[in-house]
Amino acid sequence: MASVQWHSRARKYEAEVQMCRLEVSAVDFSDYHPLKAITVTDSKARRGGRKGSTSSSSSSSSSVVLDPLSSMLDGSDPLSLFAAVNTMVLTELGRKRREKEEEVGSDFEPWSSKRGEILSRFTTTEKLSINLFMGSDKSKASSPSSAVSEKVRTRLEELDDLEEGSQRELLNLSQQDYVNRIEELNQSLKEAWGSDQKVKALKIVIQCSKLLSDTSVIQFYPSKFVLITDILDTFGGLVYDRIWSMCADPHPLPESFSADDVNDTAKETCLNWFFKIASIRELVPRLYVEAALLKCNRFLTKSGIQETLQRLTAMIRGIGDPLVAVYARAYLCRVGMEVAPHLKDSLNKNFFDLLATFRQIHGESVQNQLAQQRVEIPIYLTLYSPAIHWILQCVAYRAPEVLLTEMMDRCKKLGNNALLLNSVMWAFRAEFVAMRATDFIGMIKDCDEAGFPKHLLFASLGRSLSCADPPESERLSILNDAWKVITKVRSPRDYINCAEIWVEFTCRHFTKREVNTILADIIKHMTPDRAFEDAYPQLQSVIKKILPHFHDFSVLFSMEKFLPFLDMFQKDSVRVEVCKSIMEVFINALTLDDEKRSLSLLINGFIRMVSFGRDFEQQLSFCVEARATFCNLEPVIIHLIHTVNQLAMETRCVMKGNHSRKTAAFVRACAAYSFITIPSLTSIFNRLNLYLLSGEVALANQCLSQADAFLKAAVSLLPEVPRTISIEGKQRSSEPFLLDFINNFLSTLLVVPDHPEQGVLYLVRGLLNMVQDYTWEDNSDAKIRVYISALPLLAAMSQESYLYTIPKVDSNETLYGGDPKFIAEINKLCETLIGQVLDHLKGLGRDEGVRRQGSLAFSLFGCLLAHGDLRNNKLNQLAVNLWNLSHKHGFCDTRTSVRTLEYIKHQAQLADLSHLSDMTARLSLQSRT
């Protein structure tokens, strides 16, 4: 800390504002007038095509008055000419627009939402094995003059070393041990990449990809796929980011870049990666690793992604195990949707290839494998569900209705395979499925129930019909056909899971008679052996689906089976919840909070309409009475405080600055009203913000004592801020709101004069002391960000003239007049804050917080650049060190860094900032190699 010497740089605010303004271009009307004839210059150039020929050019110009009406006589319509000129542009824009429309939107369920469900669903108690690469002890030295071919040969030998025995098989691993090993490999991949061991990183990825060929514990395979593709995603991101960073010189690539924008170095590096992948001997790892790098094809050719998708789709046909193949297709569809969602052909091709090979499931090799592992065919078929669901979700996303017809036809040709049919109903839009509900029921009836129970198919159909309506004439037959199957389900759990779905369809389209029949059937199935005790969530769901469709209390309870249905809720806590949900629907449509909110809106509207003209005292008296009347409605109290603050400002405007004794007394009365009322509010952030607002209003009215009291009250309230607050019924961290308030508070302190009895910068010090003592969240950088935010305020306070002031209020610039002691206090406080920040950065370096360390270091660098006097050598060196620290681990945003560096170079051209030239030479961009 002692080595940090802070000096704020002198700012010339008016000159800086002038530099930021747009330049004004003068128009010489002697040369230009909108009605003046236009001179057209026709230039033609010819270039020789033969070897040795020289180019020649000729040009001619003529002054022609272009009359759009007369030109029509020649058959040249100006609009047609415009269209002809812009045909290519419009075509390109149209193509981009179509691609944008086909991009994945928020209506597409991402893979991340499915990941957790798969890991929790597909578990095993069997012992697992894993091939763990132990590394090679060989050290191969190369001379600086080694040829490129020798380097390539060395790297290929290293890859061969992986595939030829430098592995150790770990046996008898539990599921958790297996997961831990995979996570260790993921971490090893990141560490190898970070230490520039690219071949080692690739070896780890190849090793992990090979595990996807192993189906020895087949029930765990979907979870294994999730864990290993996480590693592949990490690898793909690292390679892409590295090549992207190589394109940042001299300017970063735009988001919509083409291969023509990529420099040769980046292209060569990208090709090198694909050459390495091509040397992988086994099909499955080679396919997965290349799929992980699919996005990198953007750096090479315009059509590279499309061609690669087609080739990889064909390669999967060489995988013999149908389970391994279907998950390989799922991964290819996943990366395809992320990189090029508009390329629908490859998605459809993957699904159709899947259909073509689906008969392999019943082949001899699969049956032998299942017999060896003692896995029944229904259990085995469920292993396909996540992959097929995902492939079909990709295929069906924003697909035309005709595609569903084609899918149904193909399913029929396969004998209406139940697993595929179920995935089709899940994937396509509910409207499409509902319109074909009768056709789907016919296909379900023809399915073989041995591998996939029909009630699950009806459950999937019911989900679609709860979101969309089938043709009215078919609804009764649909319900009858579905319930004939559902009522025959023997397992109470399977039965209620399916029945609960179809209750929604029954309530939407039928009367209480049909609903009563459904309730009777549920009671019949769930009463024996008290099966209802294990199905309370599903039974509660039935109630919640019925209630919105019966708005008449008497109609609901006139159903013969409704009360017997309620009798199944014999657990007290559940019965209370059910009765409460019924009461909320029929007795009180609004909750207490909703009622208060509704009443408050009405009352606030009334208060806004009450006006006493310029009789401000009468208006204030009305606010006092309203506060007493509506003391239990917090939104009204908040509105009244705002109203009183507005009164104080209106009084100042009406008096036009003539601050008479009577006016001052009224403003103080308004301040007293707010000061007394604010503590009654329950929301602590409402109190903080109103303290600050009221303090600013008092300051604007030259009531310095009242302003001081409001600001001190706000500072003293900070320790009471809880770590979480409730927003719309959900608990949220309070830190973002607290930081936002503190930043607003700091901006106000610039114009607040120091109290003569409290010492220099007493409010700033008080705020920082509260921030120091506040209990922040664990692993939080909020306190340090406050310290960094305080530095610009202190730098602004040290200027000869402040950036903004309040009329007739003497800020510290007037009180101290640039006193050296005042400046010294500011510098000392700045040095203390910087020391705290640096200590925190050192702590992050010791922990796993390098990303946070880089972000904070860059923030402090920006603060020093904008507000510090970098002519000071130590401060200059500190800025350079912070820049290097922020780029050390490769987490700094490349675009921001490039723009910042360009800005510094631009600033260095100014006379009073020429010292920045030396600093720019020491600032280097981050490397992600």
Side-chain angles (χ1 to χ4, degrees), residues 562-720:
F562 185 73
L563 288 176
F565 185 88
L566 292 181
D567 288 340
M568 288 193 293
F569 295 99
Q570 297 186 9
K571 187 177 181 180
D572 290 341
S573 59
V574 178
R575 179 186 288 269
V576 169
E577 284 294 322
V578 172
C579 293
K580 182 180 177 182
S581 63
I582 297 173
M583 296 291 286
E584 286 177 347
V585 171
F586 292 104
I587 296 179
N588 186 11
L590 292 175
T591 65
L592 181 61
D593 289 339
D594 289 331
E595 286 182 342
K596 285 184 176 182
R597 191 178 298 110
S598 179
L599 289 173
S600 298
L601 288 173
L602 293 173
I603 295 168
N604 289 340
F606 169 73
I607 292 172
R608 280 192 292 269
M609 296 176 65
V610 176
S611 175
F612 293 90
R614 292 196 175 186
D615 191 348
F616 298 124
E617 292 182 357
Q618 188 65 29
Q619 194 86 31
L620 181 60
S621 299
F622 169 75
C623 291
V624 172
E625 293 178 8
R627 179 180 62 187
T629 305
F630 307 114
C631 58
N632 291 327
L633 296 175
E634 184 158 314
V636 176
I637 301 301
I638 294 172
H639 180 70
L640 288 170
I641 296 172
H642 281 287
T643 301
V644 170
N645 279 319
Q646 186 177 356
L647 277 177
M649 295 303 297
E650 287 180 358
T651 305
R652 174 174 175 268
C653 294
V654 169
M655 298 305 294
K656 295 180 181 179
N658 298 325
H659 213 67
S660 66
R661 184 176 299 177
K662 183 178 180 180
T663 304
F666 178 78
V667 172
R668 286 195 293 271
C670 290
Y673 178 98
S674 299
F675 196 80
I676 293 170
T677 309
I678 291 174
S680 67
L681 301 175
T682 57
S683 170
I684 193 166
F685 280 103
N686 281 335
R687 279 182 276 162
L688 284 171
N689 290 318
L690 287 172
Y691 272 135
L692 178 57
L693 174 64
S694 301
E696 292 170 341
V697 170
L699 200 62
N701 285 280
Q702 297 100 52
C703 296
L704 302 184
S705 297
Q706 285 74 16
D708 191 67
F710 280 117
L711 298 177
K712 284 197 295 186
V715 172
S716 63
L717 187 60
L718 289 177
E720 300 179 24

Side-chain angles (χ1 to χ4, degrees), residues 449-573:
E449 200 170 9
F452 202 95
K454 289 184 179 180
H455 71 268
L456 294 180
L457 296 173
F458 275 104
S460 298
L461 179 61
R463 288 188 183 92
S464 296
L465 297 182
S466 65
C467 302
D469 299 333
E472 186 174 359
S473 60
E474 301 175 6
R475 292 171 186 173
L476 182 58
S477 62
I478 290 172
L479 180 61
N480 288 333
D481 288 336
W483 211 261
K484 286 178 185 177
V485 175
I486 296 171
T487 193
K488 294 179 182 178
V489 178
R490 295 182 179 180
S491 165
R493 186 177 71 173
D494 292 340
Y495 168 83
I496 192 60
N497 285 336
C498 194
E500 176 253 329
I501 295 171
W502 279 87
V503 166
E504 174 74 19
F505 176 78
T506 308
C507 291
R508 285 176 59 183
H509 301 297
F510 299 96
T511 65
K512 71 172 186 177
R513 176 175 171 273
E514 288 80 10
V515 175
N516 191 66
T517 302
I518 297 294
L519 293 179
D521 197 63
I522 294 176
I523 294 171
K524 175 184 174 181
H525 280 79
M526 302 307 295
T527 301
D529 299 326
R530 301 177 65 86
F532 54 79
E533 291 182 343
D534 298 323
Y536 283 140
Q538 292 86 349
L539 296 175
Q540 283 180 276
S541 177
V542 171
I543 289 290
K544 290 179 180 178
K545 289 179 177 179
I546 291 175
L547 291 176
H549 298 279
F550 291 89
H551 302 288
D552 190 332
F553 189 80
S554 60
V555 173
L556 180 67
F557 281 87
S558 66
M559 282 194 297
E560 179 185 356
K561 296 300 180 180
F562 185 73
L563 288 176
F565 185 88
L566 292 181
D567 288 340
M568 288 193 293
F569 295 99
Q570 297 186 9
K571 187 177 181 180
D572 290 341
S573 59

Side-chain angles (χ1 to χ4, degrees), residues 911-925:
D912 55 345
L913 295 176
S914 58
H915 56 278
L916 295 179
S917 299
D918 295 334
M919 188 178 78
T920 56
R922 293 180 288 160
L923 301 180
S924 57
L925 293 174

Side-chain angles (χ1 to χ4, degrees), residues 420-447:
L420 292 175
L421 192 60
N422 186 62
S423 297
V424 168
M425 289 188 290
W426 268 89
F428 279 86
R429 287 173 54 184
E431 294 85 354
F432 295 171
V433 175
M435 291 302 296
R436 295 166 172 77
T438 301
D439 294 335
F440 274 110
I441 288 177
M443 296 172 68
I444 292 172
K445 290 179 179 179
D446 294 338
C447 284

Side-chain angles (χ1 to χ4, degrees), residues 26 84 156 216 251 398 419 439 503 540 599 644 653 680 747 793 813 927:
L156 293 178
S216 57
H251 302 291
R398 296 182 182 176
L419 178 61
D439 294 335
V503 166
Q540 283 180 276
L599 289 173
V644 170
C653 294
S680 67
S747 66
L793 167 66
E813 63 173 338
S927 173

Side-chain angles (χ1 to χ4, degrees), residues 754-892:
D754 281 341
H755 194 285
E757 299 177 1
Q758 299 292 340
V760 177
L761 302 174
Y762 81 103
L763 273 176
V764 178
R765 294 181 189 276
L767 174 67
L768 294 175
N769 287 336
M770 289 297 181
V771 170
Q772 175 70 27
D773 297 335
Y774 181 76
T775 305
W776 299 93
E777 293 183 10
D778 298 335
N779 298 321
S780 170
D781 301 320
K783 178 172 68 174
I784 301 303
R785 294 199 176 276
V786 173
Y787 291 164
I788 295 175
S789 297
L791 291 173
L793 167 66
L794 294 170
M797 283 183 166
S798 66
Q799 304 299 315
E800 293 183 2
S801 59
Y802 285 0
L803 181 59
Y804 48 87
T805 56
I806 294 179
K808 297 187 178 181
V809 174
D810 292 334
S811 301
N812 286 338
E813 63 173 338
T814 304
L815 295 181
Y816 295 109
D819 183 17
K821 293 183 179 179
F822 176 64
I823 302 300
E825 286 291 330
I826 291 177
N827 292 342
K828 183 178 179 181
L829 184 54
C830 288
E831 291 167 6
T832 302
L833 295 176
I834 293 175
Q836 292 283 343
V837 176
L838 295 179
D839 289 343
H840 184 75
L841 290 175
K842 292 178 182 177
L844 291 178
R846 290 190 295 269
D847 302 328
E848 295 182 359
V850 291
R851 183 184 291 273
R852 292 159 51 203
Q853 183 191 60
S855 176
L856 289 174
F858 196 79
S859 296
L860 182 55
F861 168 81
C863 185
L864 297 184
L865 178 65
H867 305 284
D869 186 358
L870 297 184
R871 290 175 296 184
N872 179 281
N873 291 334
K874 291 186 177 180
L875 203 60
N876 189 300
Q877 183 59 46
L878 175 59
V880 173
N881 292 342
L882 289 169
W883 172 279
N884 293 334
L885 180 61
S886 66
H887 291 69
K888 181 178 179 181
H889 299 285
F891 292 122
C892 197

